[in-house]
Amino acid sequence: MAANSSCPSAFSMHAALFASLVCAALFFGSGEAGAAHKVFDPEWHPATATWYGSADGDGSDVKTVYGSPAVNVFDAGGACGYGTLVDVVPMKARVGAVSPVLFKNGEGCGACYKVRCLDSSICSRRAVTVIVTDECPGGVCSGGRTHFDLSGAAFGRLAVAGSGGQLRNRGEINVVFRRTACKYRGKNIAFHVNEGSTSFWLSLLVEFEDGDGDIGSVQLKQANSAQWQDMQHIWGATWSLTPGPLVGPFSVRLTTLTSKQTLTAQDVIPKNWTPKATYTSRLNFAV
């Protein structure tokens, strides 16, 4: 059908312009598949923030146990399960732990927030973008508080140039935050097959999700099958499927938690998949 078949063809100049605008709305404003759904909160909300790890580190090296400042434990990338990804670009120096109200039992993993501190004498006017990679369950994060426990590097970037160390010395500070779209430039969604996976228990970690960043559901389709099987959210950004034997290649369908967008990666995990391998799709959510 021609693009103007449903639009009037004989009008005055002004009427024709109006008709063309109506046509544009009909053809391009209907929310077609693949269109971007912005995850954007125009309002700033109050919260508090601290930092952990080394002063200029990514937060994943050493973490202080709440209530026991003298005791340090290895963090292994945080409760979301991203492991060493938090140590390298594009996550490097942008990671943080959040209190349970934002962690959402792991469903908040991967979400992105802009965080800004408030003291004009030391704080930058520019917000820092933080990716949720961990949970801080106790201490200043308990009691229903909204709290960000940032990497030392991310916390320092809240300050004006040269004042990062002075800001870190303050410990806990007041901040404001808002949700923002995640953007992993040059990256497509990837699926890491977790260690211990077999043809009877498959565990996947979802990586580099643009847009919402969070995950509401994951489904898997086996080779030569039309059935989508629901994977179970077990912890962090990790999902698993138990019934077996499972036969690849596998297609994976993601639905985001916030805006319910769906993306399908066909045959993204090959028949000869192996544990601890990462398989990258050719697509990502539009932002």
Side-chain angles (χ1 to χ4, degrees), residues 36 92 102 124 157 176 218 228:
K92 182 178 177 66
L102 295 180
S124 171
R157 289 179 181 177
V176 289
V218 180
W228 286 99

Side-chain angles (χ1 to χ4, degrees), residues 77-102:
C80 290
Y82 295 122
T84 56
L85 285 179
V86 303
D87 299 321
V88 296
V89 175
M91 284 190 175
K92 182 178 177 66
R94 300 171 63 200
V95 305
V98 292
S99 55
V101 293
L102 295 180

Side-chain angles (χ1 to χ4, degrees), residues 188-250:
N188 286 329
I189 289 177
F191 302 92
H192 178 77
V193 180
N194 288 315
E195 185 176 4
S197 291
T198 69
S199 59
F200 290 87
W201 183 79
L202 178 66
S203 175
L204 301 180
L205 173 74
V206 183
E207 304 171 350
F208 305 128
E209 180 195 330
D210 280 345
D212 290 7
D214 55 23
I215 303 168
S217 68
V218 180
Q219 295 174 302
L220 182 137
K221 185 171 68 172
Q222 299 184 57
N224 303 317
S225 173
Q227 179 185 4
W228 286 99
Q229 297 172 274
D230 292 329
M231 300 191 75
Q232 180 182 5
H233 179 224
I234 51 177
W235 61 281
T238 299
W239 298 72
S240 70
L241 186 63
T242 302
L246 303 170
V247 180
F250 303 126

Side-chain angles (χ1 to χ4, degrees), residues 54-204:
S54 57
D56 296 310
D58 305 318
S60 61
D61 41 10
V62 176
K63 185 171 182 178
T64 299
V65 179
Y66 291 100
S68 305
V71 180
N72 290 325
V73 294
F74 290 103
D75 187 26
C80 290
Y82 295 122
T84 56
L85 285 179
V86 303
D87 299 321
V88 296
V89 175
M91 284 190 175
K92 182 178 177 66
R94 300 171 63 200
V95 305
V98 292
S99 55
V101 293
L102 295 180
F103 190 71
K104 304 173 185 175
N105 292 319
E107 290 186 333
C109 287
C112 296
Y113 294 90
K114 287 189 177 294
V115 180
R116 180 166 56 85
C117 63
L118 301 174
D119 187 343
S120 59
S121 68
I122 192 173
C123 295
S124 171
R125 297 175 61 184
R126 182 179 60 188
V128 172
T129 300
V130 177
I131 305 165
V132 175
T133 60
D134 201 356
E135 179 184 28
C136 55
V140 294
C141 298
S142 62
R145 295 181 62 181
T146 303
H147 187 85
F148 291 84
D149 196 24
L150 305 179
S151 68
F155 193 92
R157 289 179 181 177
L158 293 171
V160 295
S163 298
Q166 183 181 349
L167 185 65
R168 283 190 290 267
N169 287 339
R170 295 191 176 187
E172 182 180 346
I173 61 172
N174 292 319
V175 298
V176 289
F177 75 99
R178 68 185 184 192
R179 185 77 178 273
T180 191
C182 298
K183 297 178 182 178
Y184 297 103
R185 299 189 187 280
K187 293 284 189 180
N188 286 329
I189 289 177
F191 302 92
H192 178 77
V193 180
N194 288 315
E195 185 176 4
S197 291
T198 69
S199 59
F200 290 87
W201 183 79
L202 178 66
S203 175
L204 301 180

